[in-house]
Amino acid sequence: MISQRFSNEICNFASVFTTKIKNMETFYIIIAFFLLCLAVFDMYTGVSSAVVAFLPPAIGAKAAKLRTLLIIASIGILVGTATSSGMMDIARNGVLQPQHYVYSEVMCVFLAVVCADVIIIDIFNTLGMPTSTTVSMMFELFGGTTALALYKMSHDTGGLLSYGSLVNTDKVLQVIMAIFLSVAIAFIVGMVAMWVSRVVFTFQYKKHMKWSIAIFGGFSISSIMYFLLTKGFGQATFMTEDVKTWIADNSSYILIGCFIAFALITQVLHWLKINVFKIIVIFGTFSLAMAFAGNDLVNFIGVALAGLESTIHFVGTGVDPDNYVVDFLAKPAKTPLAYLIASGAVMVVALFISKKARNVINTSLSLSKQGETDEIFSSSRIARRVVRMTLNTTQHVLFFVPKRVREWVNTRFQDDDKVDSSAAFDLVRASINLVLSGLLIVIGTSLKLPLSTTYVAFMVAMGSSLADRAWGRESAVYRITGVMSVVGGWFITAGAAFTLCFLITTLMYFGGPIAMALTVIVVLVIIIRSNLYYSGKKDADDSDALYKQMLATTDKEQKLKLLQQHINVAHTHAIEQAKHCYAQITEGLISEDVRLLRKAENTLDAEKSFWKKQRQKEIVGMRMIEYYEAVKKNTWFHLASNSVSQIIYGLKRMCDPCLEHVDNNFPPLPKDYIQEFLPLRDELVEMFEKTHETIVSGDLSAIPTLLAEGNAMKSKLSQIRHTAQDRVNTTHGNIRLDLLYLNTLQETQELVSDLRHLLRGIHRFNQ
């Protein structure tokens, strides 16, 4: 009986254990599926972040139509992904040592890496900030592996395991060192090379290409070709060790031969009136896109494919996931070509349809654009100090430079009609950016440094824009702040990737399948909310399409019509916001609602920045219409524009003391003050609404009536203000409260005056 019972218990245990194993296999199959789905989204967001590595130079210089450039970059991406199989080992054994880990542990790490990567890259894309997918993946693997390594070391009673045996620290240190080197070296080299090139070619480069174009073209195309051989095709499966060794042994002969051949070809093309710079830019775009796809594809799908292969090995073994060692990950990866091509297709689709990719490109172009642009970064104290120190240092250095040398150099940088008004910079700078980026990456590869294509390309672009005098005194503080923000974001990427993946891995390891499922759900919710928010934000940004149309058209009359429409749209937006803010400020003061006042304060800060940008755009538009038409409308344009600025400043002057009063819980407004003020408040809100309707409808005949109503309202406000002043002198009430009420009345009266000036300006401008 005992033996029978024991036998039954063993059978029941075996049955339960087998069911558990099968259930766990099903669960991990689902996890592997989610890994692949998240990897697809990671590719989509990753391409959006990394386009700064290869597209901005060609787009900024207008080397070709945007669709043509996207097709060229897409071909490079497809070729690069098809030849990237050899890079997949980094995700498998570049950081973790697989012989010391079991299946359940690596799946926690792999899932945590993909989840953290999707979140971090999506945040950077939403902010329009370029970042490195290589750094994010490496530090995520580092963070996740460290979490498990610390746990395994704490339970290693025999002392056999060490941190170095569990984590490949050498690889991580290489990445950290490469970050510092790539940022500094790329910026300096880009600056020096651009300065020399501009001195040689000047901004009127077409007049100085008689013989120099052969040297420049030979050097540029030879560098790009060598870059393709060593970096683009360097990890391709058909590049055997014998071929790589032959290229390395004969690199000097290859470079010399390419230089001579391409120098002759470019000289002939120049004689045939073909723009060699465009060829260099297009060829460079293809090569950098190919290198990006070949080297960065592992950042998107390497971890997911490692998880998929681990699951394929695990399923059907019948072994508990906590006991199945994944030492097979130490072997080289054999990625099917279909996976690589499918990945390339996803990246190409992302390149064409991603709005966030356009946002990242705009950030790079804004920081490197020649001349005036819509600055997207504000000034900072550090940037102001850097500019001031640079100006002082430059003055001292130039004192020792002969006057004739200074004058000659300045003539080489004369920027009259330097670039097309629709281009961010010319083809010379675009060529320098692409050639130097490829050359520095080749040098980094030869030195065994895992340089990031994003870091190198971005910093070369920033260095070349500085040398090209694109950072003038009016824009330097904004550009430097932008560069520091982007570079700082790169270091934040490393820290955030390590920390986030460390925490997610710890949570999933101790929380088990439930924690893993919840983590996937949370990530999906974050992705959906982020994209919904960004979609709404971009719809608002795209409302300024009139300005883009105004820049694109060449018809002066059409420019004037578009300018008038743009001004009307901007004014209606400003009036609508002013009405809401005025209502919030007064209601917040009356009802002592500090949240309304804070909301109004934030809106006014945003509106102040928005209006500054709108005014700059409209001034650009005024410069593009007929001169005599501009002279006739200039006074009324500035009257209306200044009136909107004064409305915003007046609301700010009203909001600050009201917020301070309510936030400090000072006594509320007396009821008789409120009863005296409310009818006037409602009249001004109504006047805001009528002004808004008048501008939207374009019915200028209603403006004289509104001006008369405004004048009557000013008289009422003046009487009440005098009454309030007499009240201050004749009664012994709360001085702070009386001054606040007087300020509110004064600013309300100023708002009425500003609205009347705005209506007069709009009336005369549109006649």
Side-chain angles (χ1 to χ4, degrees):
M1 292 292 295
I2 295 175
S3 61
Q4 181 66 30
R5 184 180 301 172
F6 180 72
S7 176
N8 290 337
E9 288 179 356
I10 291 177
C11 290
N12 290 334
F13 175 78
S15 177
V16 171
F17 182 77
T18 303
T19 303
K20 178 183 176 183
I21 291 295
K22 289 181 178 179
N23 290 338
M24 291 304 295
E25 287 182 355
T26 303
F27 172 77
Y28 279 113
I29 289 173
I30 295 173
I31 290 298
F33 172 76
F34 274 113
L35 270 177
L36 292 176
C37 292
L38 289 174
V40 171
F41 185 80
D42 199 20
M43 275 189 287
Y44 184 88
T45 56
V47 170
S48 301
S49 175
V51 289
V52 71
F54 53 88
L55 272 181
I59 293 176
K62 301 287 185 181
K65 292 182 179 179
L66 178 60
R67 180 172 294 276
T68 303
L69 295 175
L70 291 176
I71 292 173
I72 291 169
S74 299
I75 297 172
I77 287 174
L78 290 173
V79 175
T81 53
T83 59
S84 65
S85 178
M87 295 296 292
M88 295 300 167
D89 294 338
I90 295 175
R92 297 159 58 91
N93 48 50
V95 176
L96 62 83
Q97 307 284 13
Q99 65 272 19
H100 296 298
Y101 294 90
V102 296
Y103 174 73
S104 60
E105 293 172 340
V106 296
M107 288 302 288
C108 283
V109 174
F110 291 156
L111 184 58
V113 167
V114 175
C115 289
D117 200 55
V118 167
I119 294 172
I120 290 173
I121 300 299
D122 190 60
I123 289 173
F124 273 86
N125 288 345
T126 301
L127 296 174
M129 304 281 279
T131 190
S132 171
T133 55
T134 303
V135 170
S136 63
M137 184 201 70
M138 291 294 293
F139 276 87
E140 285 153 3
L141 281 170
F142 185 33
T145 307
T146 297
L148 293 184
L150 294 177
Y151 176 77
K152 294 172 79 71
M153 289 167 61
S154 65
H155 288 73
D156 180 29
T157 55
L160 300 176
L161 296 177
S162 64
Y163 186 73
S165 64
L166 294 170
V167 182
N168 189 354
T169 54
D170 292 340
K171 195 71 174 180
V172 178
L173 289 175
Q174 277 188 334
V175 172
I176 295 174
M177 183 174 63
I179 291 174
F180 288 100
L181 288 175
S182 62
V183 168
I185 293 176
F187 184 83
I188 294 172
V189 172
M191 182 173 60
V192 173
M194 186 67 243
W195 190 88
V196 173
S197 299
R198 187 60 71 192
V199 169
V200 172
F201 289 104
T202 75
F203 282 107
Q204 291 77 33
Y205 61 90
K206 293 181 180 179
K207 300 177 182 178
H208 301 85
M209 295 196 307
K210 188 174 182 180
W211 301 107
S212 57
I213 189 60
I215 299 174
F216 184 84
F219 175 80
S220 300
I221 301 178
S222 299
S223 300
I224 295 173
M225 183 62 70
Y226 191 70
F227 170 74
L228 277 175
L229 288 174
T230 58
K231 195 68 176 174
F233 293 109
Q235 302 298 330
T237 53
F238 62 81
M239 290 287 283
T240 62
E241 290 300 323
D242 293 339
V243 175
K244 293 179 183 178
T245 302
W246 183 86
I247 292 175
D249 293 340
N250 298 277
S251 57
S252 300
Y253 298 107
I254 295 173
L255 286 172
I256 293 172
C258 288
F259 175 78
I260 295 173
F262 288 122
L264 293 173
I265 292 172
T266 52
Q267 187 62 54
V268 172
L269 291 175
H270 175 64
W271 287 335
L272 296 175
K273 307 297 183 181
I274 297 174
N275 195 327
V276 176
F277 284 109
K278 283 191 176 182
I279 296 174
I280 295 172
V281 170
I282 291 173
F283 190 33
T285 301
F286 168 82
S287 61
L288 275 181
M290 177 182 169
F292 152 74
N295 291 276
D296 287 17
L297 182 62
V298 63
N299 304 332
F300 310 136
I301 67 169
V303 171
L305 291 180
L308 177 63
E309 184 178 348
S310 301
T311 303
I312 292 173
H313 278 75
F314 166 72
V315 172
T317 59
V319 181
D320 189 278
D322 295 331
N323 297 320
Y324 188 73
V325 180
V326 290
D327 52 355
F328 55 86
L329 290 178
K331 299 177 182 178
K334 296 181 180 179
T335 309
L337 183 61
Y339 288 178
L340 300 177
I341 295 175
S343 300
V346 172
M347 295 168 75
V348 168
V349 171
L351 189 65
F352 273 88
I353 69 175
S354 174
K355 290 184 178 180
K356 294 183 179 181
R358 305 290 192 275
N359 196 21
V360 174
I361 291 173
N362 289 338
T363 298
S364 177
L365 293 180
S366 175
L367 292 173
S368 57
K369 181 176 174 61
Q370 199 84 31
E372 296 180 357
T373 185
D374 185 11
E375 303 292 347
I376 62 176
F377 293 93
S378 59
S379 176
S380 66
R381 180 178 297 180
I382 297 177
R384 290 191 291 269
R385 289 181 177 178
V386 169
V387 171
R388 190 175 297 111
M389 182 180 64
T390 304
L391 289 173
N392 293 335
T393 304
T394 303
Q395 288 177 356
H396 285 91
V397 171
L398 290 178
F399 179 77
F400 298 99
V401 178
K403 183 179 179 181
R404 288 187 177 182
V405 175
R406 294 201 307 267
E407 292 176 347
W408 179 79
V409 171
N410 286 332
T411 60
R412 311 301 287 181
F413 282 86
Q414 285 181 353
D415 54 2
D416 296 334
D417 301 324
K418 53 184 175 291
V419 291
D420 181 2
S421 59
S422 62
F425 40 79
D426 63 4
L427 289 166
V428 176
R429 183 153 30 123
S431 302
I432 291 294
N433 290 349
L434 290 165
V435 171
L436 281 183
S437 298
L439 196 58
L440 289 174
I441 292 171
V442 167
I443 294 173
T445 302
S446 64
L447 297 176
K448 308 297 183 183
L449 292 175
L451 295 182
S452 166
T453 53
T454 304
Y455 287 7
V456 171
F458 181 82
M459 292 310 297
V460 166
M462 295 303 101
S464 65
S465 63
L466 174 62
D468 217 17
R469 301 187 180 181
W471 295 6
R473 294 190 64 162
E474 292 185 355
S475 61
V477 288
Y478 305 116
R479 308 285 176 92
I480 293 173
T481 301
V483 172
M484 289 192 299
S485 300
V486 173
V487 174
W490 294 343
F491 292 98
I492 292 174
T493 300
F498 178 90
T499 304
L500 184 60
C501 197
F502 182 95
L503 295 175
I504 294 176
T505 302
T506 303
L507 175 66
M508 290 193 298
Y509 184 74
F510 290 103
I514 295 177
M516 297 173 78
L518 289 176
T519 301
V520 171
I521 294 172
V522 170
V523 170
L524 292 176
V525 170
I526 291 173
I527 292 171
I528 293 171
R529 290 190 62 182
S530 171
N531 281 273
L532 288 175
Y533 165 78
Y534 186 82
S535 182
K537 179 182 175 183
K538 289 308 293 180
D539 288 342
D541 293 343
D542 291 341
S543 64
D544 203 20
L546 287 170
Y547 179 68
K548 298 176 183 177
Q549 295 178 26
M550 186 167 54
L551 292 177
T553 185
T554 56
D555 186 353
K556 297 285 187 179
E557 292 185 4
Q558 183 66 17
K559 282 184 183 291
L560 176 58
K561 291 180 181 179
L562 291 170
L563 176 61
Q564 289 174 328
Q565 293 178 34
H566 187 279
I567 291 174
N568 290 339
V569 170
H571 286 168
T572 53
H573 171 82
I575 294 302
E576 185 71 17
Q577 293 297 319
K579 182 190 75 172
H580 287 308
C581 287
Y582 180 70
Q584 287 175 337
I585 293 168
T586 52
E587 185 61 33
L589 175 61
I590 293 170
S591 61
E592 298 185 90
D593 191 339
V594 72
R595 289 180 299 177
L596 275 177
L597 290 166
R598 292 194 190 282
K599 188 180 293 185
E601 182 185 41
N602 294 333
T603 302
L604 287 171
D605 289 338
E607 192 63 24
K608 180 181 175 182
S609 176
F610 174 79
W611 180 250
K612 180 181 177 181
K613 294 177 181 178
Q614 292 299 105
R615 187 170 184 178
Q616 290 174 346
K617 292 176 181 178
E618 289 166 2
I619 291 174
V620 172
M622 288 291 291
R623 292 175 178 176
M624 293 189 294
I625 64 176
E626 291 288 350
Y627 174 74
Y628 293 107
E629 193 70 28
V631 170
K632 186 171 67 174
K633 295 181 177 294
N634 210 27
T635 300
W636 308 112
F637 163 76
H638 287 290
L639 175 63
S641 185
N642 289 337
S643 299
V644 174
S645 298
Q646 289 304 314
I647 289 173
I648 296 172
Y649 291 137
L651 288 168
K652 186 70 175 170
R653 291 192 301 268
M654 183 188 298
C655 183
D656 289 344
C658 290
L659 177 58
E660 180 186 7
H661 188 89
V662 175
D663 201 21
N664 285 300
N665 299 299
F666 292 146
L669 283 178
K671 289 184 178 179
D672 55 336
Y673 286 20
I674 295 173
Q675 291 174 357
E676 182 181 65
F677 176 70
L678 275 178
L680 293 170
R681 191 277 299 268
D682 295 339
E683 283 188 43
L684 181 53
V685 170
E686 185 180 358
M687 187 174 180
F688 272 121
E689 291 175 349
K690 289 180 178 179
T691 303
H692 182 273
E693 292 173 3
T694 299
I695 299 174
V696 171
S697 64
D699 183 12
L700 303 180
S701 61
I703 290 180
T705 304
L706 284 174
L707 291 174
E709 291 178 1
N711 196 42
M713 197 183 307
K714 281 181 63 181
S715 299
K716 293 180 185 178
L717 281 164
S718 182
Q719 292 175 4
I720 293 177
R721 190 160 55 85
H722 287 305
T723 302
Q725 288 172 351
D726 293 338
R727 189 187 298 135
V728 172
N729 296 327
T730 57
T731 62
H732 299 283
N734 189 315
I735 296 177
R736 179 183 287 110
L737 198 58
D738 287 337
L739 290 176
L740 177 66
Y741 184 56
L742 278 173
N743 179 73
T744 304
L745 290 173
Q746 174 68 34
E747 295 302 338
T748 299
Q749 188 173 359
E750 290 297 325
L751 287 174
V752 175
S753 297
D754 294 331
L755 265 178
R756 294 182 75 250
H757 291 319
L758 173 62
L759 287 167
R760 286 179 58 232
I762 292 172
H763 191 207
R764 298 298 296 271
F765 182 83
N766 288 284
Q767 281 183 337

